[in-house]
Every structure is written in structure tokens, then in C-alpha cells.
């Protein structure tokens, strides 16, 4: 029952979640044409030290993988999960950009992501993509509560996305989170309503809407970086969520 967090851990994740929400909203403002993608990384690292949190992704190296080079995951257009910002990669009008990151506060991680279109966007498919990723995230979050099977989330996510003529990724998934960035259970973006285990009060989970405009096949560009095989666009929306007695609490959301 390690995946059930106690009140102290929950409070730490709540605090970390607010910091992450604040950080991502600052980074979003930097997504303008002409911006070097590495500027976002520099700003992120500064904000982490100011807020006394650790950038969990930086140096992350599970099962023999090379160390992840940056604190941010940043993907542009057909780049998919686990890409990084790079010096000289300049954002331009119409780029579909995803920023995904994990921070650790007092030993507990929180993870969130968003996608947006940079500058002038005249492409309705790009708008549909980023809006559907966000809609799929919030509509599946509304299902969360104790006793709810993960398959209900996965199945609803797939239906919402496919009803728009878009696809979900099958090779990557949401996950539990806590002292490790990836914990039990796995939360796929597709499947049947009876798939997977049931949620329990006190679990902290990351729901990730991983959406693409074309075929769901993802190819590796390096050990970490991935790209949509058919050159379609990719978008992602993710929050860290606490399963409460009555439903859920979004931990990676700013105070209103
Ligand atoms: N939200 C991403 C995930 O759960 C964060 C990855 S960080 C990385 O996979 F270091 F693994 F890239
Ligand atoms: Co995640």
C-alpha cells in the first residue's frame, strides 16, 4: 500500500504542485516566436532554485538509460515524448510546443505538462489537437474517485480523442507518482472500462493525455527523444491528481 500517501506527504505534494503550476504558467509566457528553446530551460532551473525544489528529470537515468540532459521535456511539432530543449532551436509562429516536467519538493514529486501553439496560428488542426488534449485531460479527471477502475479513465480518454479524428499514443502512459516519478499504477490512454486496478483514496496519479494528429506510431531519434513516425503533430496535457474520499483534487493547479 506504498502508493497510498499519508497526510504529510499529501501536503508536500500540494505545495510542490502549486509551485509547478506557477512555474509552468511562467514558462508558457516565454513561448513566443524567436525564443531559443534553451532559454526556457535556463529560466526553469532558476525558478527551481528560487523555490527550493529539484528538477527531477535532469540526470534521470532509469534502467541503464543515459542521463536525461535537462530539467524540461520540450517537444516541437512532430517531436513526441522525452525530447529536450536545445540551444539554437528557435521557436516560430505556428509551432506546436509541449512542455512537460517533474519537480521534487521535500522528497515528493509532482508532474505536469501542457501544449500550445506559438504566436500566430492559422491551422485549425493544431488548435483541435491542443484543445482536445486539454479537454481529454479534464474530462477524464472528472471520473477520478475511490473505487473507480483505471479503465474508465483510459477508455474515456480514447473515446474523446478518437471522436475528433485524432489518436492516442499507446506506447506511453500516465502513472502513479510520489517519492519516485513513476509509480504504480499505470494509466494508459486507451483500453476497455474493465481494464486495470481500481483507484484508492490517498493515491496520487498522473493522468497524461498523449495525443497525435496522425498514426500513433512513435520512433526513437535517440535513446530518449522520440518523434511521430508519420510526421504528424503531437500534444500532451498532464496533471498530478490526488484521489480523495469524495473524488479528486488537482495538485498541479494554481490557486485562483
Ligand atoms: N511526464 C513525463 C513522464 O511521465 C516526464 C518524463 S521526465 C523524463 O514520462 F526525465 F523521463 F524525461
Ligand atoms: Co508523467
Amino acid at each position: 500500500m506504498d502508493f497510498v500517501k499519508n497526510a504529510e506527504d499529501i501536503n508536500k505534494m500540494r505545495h510542490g504542485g502549486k509551485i509547478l503550476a506557477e512555474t509552468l504558467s511562467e514558462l508558457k509566457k516565454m513561448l513566443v516566436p524567436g525564443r531559443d528553446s534553451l532559454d526556457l530551460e535556463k529560466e526553469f532551473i532558476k525558478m527551481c532554485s528560487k523555490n527550493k525544489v529539484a528538477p527531477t528529470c535532469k540526470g534521470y537515468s532509469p534502467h541503464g538509460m543515459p542521463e536525461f540532459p535537462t530539467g524540461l521535456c520540450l517537444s516541437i511539432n512532430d517531436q513526441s515524448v522525452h525530447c529536450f530543449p536545445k540551444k539554437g532551436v528557435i521557436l516560430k509562429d505556428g509551432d506546436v510546443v509541449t512542455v512537460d516536467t517533474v519537480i521534487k519538493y521535500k522528497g515528493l514529486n509532482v508532474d505536469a505538462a501542457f501544449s500550445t501553439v506559438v504566436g500566430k496560428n492559422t491551422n485549425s488542426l493544431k488548435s483541435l489537437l491542443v484543445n482536445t488534449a486539454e479537454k481529454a485531460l479534464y474530462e477524464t479527471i472528472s471520473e477520478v474517485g475511490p473505487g473507480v477502475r483505471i479503465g474508465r479513465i483510459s477508455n474515456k480518454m480514447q473515446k474523446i480523442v478518437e471522436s475528433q479524428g485524432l489518436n492516442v499514443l499507446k506506447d506511453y502512459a500516465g502513472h502513479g507518482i510520489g517519492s519516485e516519478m513513476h509509480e504504480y499504477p499505470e494509466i494508459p490512454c486507451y483500453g476497455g472500462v474493465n481494464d486495470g486496478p481500481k483507484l484508492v483514496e490517498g493515491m496520487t496519479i498522473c493522468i497524461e493525455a498523449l495525443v497525435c494528429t496522425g498514426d500513433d506510431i512513435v520512433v526513437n531519434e535517440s535513446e530518449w527523444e522520440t518523434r511521430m513516425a508519420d510526421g504528424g503533430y503531437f500534444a500532451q496535457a498532464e496533471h498530478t491528481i490526488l484521489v480523495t474520499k469524495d473524488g479528486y483534487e488537482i495538485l498541479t493547479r494554481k490557486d485562483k
Side-chain angles (χ1 to χ4, degrees):
M1 294 283 278
D2 250 13
F3 51 84
V4 173
K5 273 69 182 177
N6 62 32
E8 198 183 320
D9 287 351
I10 288 168
N11 273 328
K12 289 175 185 167
M13 293 181 74
R14 212 174 252 134
H15 187 84
K18 298 290 177 216
I19 293 171
L20 182 52
E22 207 44 72
T23 301
L24 287 178
S25 106
E26 288 305 310
L27 294 176
K28 193 169 189 175
K29 296 180 198 158
M30 293 179 67
L31 295 173
V32 294
R35 172 82 63 202
D36 192 308
S37 64
L38 199 67
D39 289 351
L40 279 102
E41 172 71 11
K42 290 178 185 160
E43 185 58 29
F44 173 66
I45 296 297
K46 264 193 227 159
M47 290 178 81
C48 284
S49 53
K50 191 185 91 200
N51 291 316
K52 299 187 167 45
V53 297
T56 308
C57 299
K58 193 171 169 68
Y60 180 58
S61 81
H63 34 261
M65 290 280 283
E67 290 188 1
F68 198 81
T70 51
L72 293 180
C73 299
L74 188 143
S75 310
I76 305 173
N77 296 329
D78 61 339
Q79 286 186 316
S80 188
V81 298
H82 305 159
C83 292
F84 16 92
K86 284 180 184 165
K87 188 164 179 55
V89 173
I90 312 295
L91 303 182
K92 51 186 196 309
D93 269 322
D95 278 345
V96 180
V97 176
T98 298
V99 179
D100 177 13
T101 191
V102 185
I103 59 169
K104 195 183 244 192
Y105 173 71
K106 293 193 174 167
L108 276 301
N109 288 291
V110 285
D111 179 357
F114 69 89
S115 296
T116 191
V117 182
V118 173
K120 279 198 283 296
N121 173 27
T122 51
N123 182 318
S124 58
L125 181 62
K126 293 176 185 175
S127 304
L128 180 72
L129 174 71
V130 300
N131 293 338
T132 302
E134 193 173 290
K135 177 171 184 266
L137 174 63
Y138 283 102
E139 290 198 7
T140 53
I141 288 174
S142 74
E143 295 291 320
V144 170
V148 173
R149 206 173 277 290
I150 301 231
R152 284 244 307 264
I153 296 168
S154 305
N155 182 264
K156 187 170 182 177
M157 171 126 22
Q158 184 175 19
K159 280 192 177 141
I160 291 168
V161 170
E162 290 181 356
S163 72
Q164 299 299 323
L166 303 169
N167 279 311
V168 290
L169 302 199
K170 314 292 191 299
D171 295 342
Y172 299 89
H175 48 90
I177 187 164
S179 54
E180 301 297 325
M181 94 161 99
H182 293 142
E183 295 187 356
Y184 172 89
E186 187 173 84
I187 308 175
C189 297
Y190 71 101
V193 287
N194 292 317
D195 292 355
K198 287 180 177 173
L199 297 173
V200 175
E201 184 186 346
M203 262 183 174
T204 45
I205 56 170
C206 295
I207 299 182
E208 303 194 27
L210 301 163
V211 184
C212 58
T213 55
D215 202 273
D216 62 12
I217 296 172
V218 171
V219 290
N220 269 85
E221 294 271 288
S222 70
E223 275 160 295
W224 278 110
E225 299 156 289
T226 67
R227 192 179 288 281
M228 301 315 304
D230 64 0
Y233 299 115
F234 164 76
Q236 173 181 0
E238 175 174 11
H239 271 306
T240 300
I241 299 132
L242 167 68
V243 182
T244 63
K245 188 164 167 287
D246 311 313
Y248 63 89
E249 178 183 333
I250 301 176
L251 298 176
T252 43
R253 185 136 86 171
K254 282 208 290 185
D255 283 324
K256 274 170 236 104

